[in-house]
Amino acid sequence: MTYQRLIVERRGPVGWIINNRPERLNAYDLLMRQEFRRAWAELDADTSVRVIVHTGNGRAFQVGTDVEELDEGTAEQFGETMSSLDLGLTAWHCNVGKPVITAVNGVCAGGGLHWVADADIVIASADATFVDPHVSIGQVSALETIALMRKMPAEAVLRMALVGSHERLTAQRAHQLGMISQVVDPPEKLRDVAQELAEKIAQNSPAAMRATKRALWGALEYGLTDACREGAKHLTSMWGHPDQDEGPRAFADKRSPQWLPLEPDS
């Protein structure tokens, strides 16, 4: 597939989605939104890809919607997708079953926080900053910050949402608050660190990781008892899968396991 707003690559078992609109700080327009749907689907369906990394080119990771390019027609389309929650931007929006790492380089603002909230793992360069300017331009901060409240203290999210463009979180502060799990210093090592982390994850059973991801993300939708009941279903879904025999056998033989490729999502 060809892309104009994104770069889609494979590096061994790792698929990469790279925001490639640096002259607009990687702000997304309608075309980029459409390309995200295709890119996530392409890499999720590729059996040679076990982990997906998402990052950006230039001095910003993502700054949200390109408001300067919104005309009446595209604004109406944006509004329809928001109202129906059919955004199609992130791996979570697109029901991606593989592990996803967001690697934040530079500025992450507004709608860029979608990918921070919706990734399985988030790392950031030491010079990355996070800001939510919605209320400072008369807009409502809702979807991104609601999602962030699943992983950060509520007051920290409220402060970011209500202070708006008048305060930025550093990568170090974001790490303290649980928004990200690692700060990469020096910043130019971000992609190397992301690739190394992804390759560690890629050594595991693809089928077991998909079931684990479904169980853990699903737990956010339920109370404790219902979450455990649903988790048990995902756990038992792996019973009888060849990977469950291969793992212990490889451990006993002191060799790397030979996992089955991930079958298309049912």
Side-chain angles (χ1 to χ4, degrees):
M1 296 185 182
T2 58
Y3 296 88
Q4 298 179 51
R5 298 287 192 259
L6 302 173
I7 296 172
V8 178
E9 299 178 340
R10 281 89 167 158
R11 304 177 192 175
V14 184
W16 282 75
I17 297 176
I18 303 170
N19 303 328
N20 192 37
R21 207 179 177 217
E23 73 283 358
R24 302 293 295 175
L25 300 181
N26 290 320
Y28 59 81
D29 58 2
L30 187 60
L31 177 57
M32 184 180 274
R33 285 164 63 101
Q34 294 168 345
E35 290 188 355
F36 270 119
R37 287 187 190 273
R38 290 199 287 120
W40 290 121
E42 176 186 335
L43 293 179
D44 201 33
D46 187 340
T47 57
S48 70
V49 172
R50 294 188 175 183
V51 183
I52 304 172
V53 177
H54 178 213
T55 192
N57 277 339
R59 62 188 181 90
F61 166 71
Q62 247 287 351
V63 295
T65 306
D66 191 340
V67 293
E68 293 185 14
E69 293 196 4
L70 284 178
D71 56 28
E72 185 174 344
T74 55
E76 183 177 351
Q77 291 185 59
F78 279 131
E80 289 174 356
T81 58
M82 287 290 179
S83 297
S84 62
L85 284 180
D86 184 26
L87 278 69
L89 293 170
T90 71
W92 183 68
H93 295 157
C94 297
N95 197 32
V96 173
K98 295 176 179 177
V100 174
I101 300 170
T102 290
V104 179
N105 58 293
V107 179
C108 179
L113 294 168
H114 278 299
W115 289 275
V116 174
D118 293 353
D120 301 309
I121 298 171
V122 185
I123 66 176
S125 61
D127 60 354
T129 58
F130 303 85
V131 61
D132 183 10
H134 281 97
V135 297
S136 298
I137 54 174
Q139 297 183 357
V140 175
S141 175
L143 300 184
E144 306 92 324
T145 41
I146 288 171
L148 281 173
M149 291 182 89
R150 297 174 302 189
K151 63 191 302 183
M152 296 171 62
E155 184 176 333
V157 178
L158 281 161
R159 176 169 175 155
M160 182 169 61
L162 297 177
V163 176
S165 63
H166 308 293
E167 183 173 274
R168 295 189 177 211
L169 286 181
T170 64
Q172 294 73 21
R173 182 59 176 154
H175 182 257
Q176 292 171 350
L177 293 169
M179 178 188 280
I180 65 176
S181 63
Q182 184 177 359
V183 178
V184 179
D185 197 6
E188 58 267 22
K189 293 291 187 181
L190 179 66
R191 294 192 186 185
D192 291 339
V193 171
Q195 178 74 21
E196 181 181 355
L197 176 59
E199 288 178 359
K200 289 179 182 178
I201 296 170
Q203 297 176 66
N204 301 316
S205 163
M209 289 195 293
R210 181 168 66 184
T212 297
K213 180 169 173 173
R214 285 174 172 169
L216 297 184
W217 277 94
L220 297 173
E221 306 287 346
Y222 301 101
L224 177 60
T225 300
D226 288 336
C228 288
R229 287 189 178 125
E230 289 298 312
K233 293 178 184 178
H234 293 297
L235 188 156
T236 56
S237 73
M238 280 291 292
W239 289 0
H241 192 285
D243 282 4
Q244 290 214 324
D245 293 327
E246 172 62 8
R249 189 180 303 117
F251 179 81
D253 295 343
K254 296 181 172 57
R255 60 174 173 81
S256 297
Q258 302 299 309
W259 307 118
L260 287 185
L262 192 65
E263 295 180 359
D265 212 353
S266 56

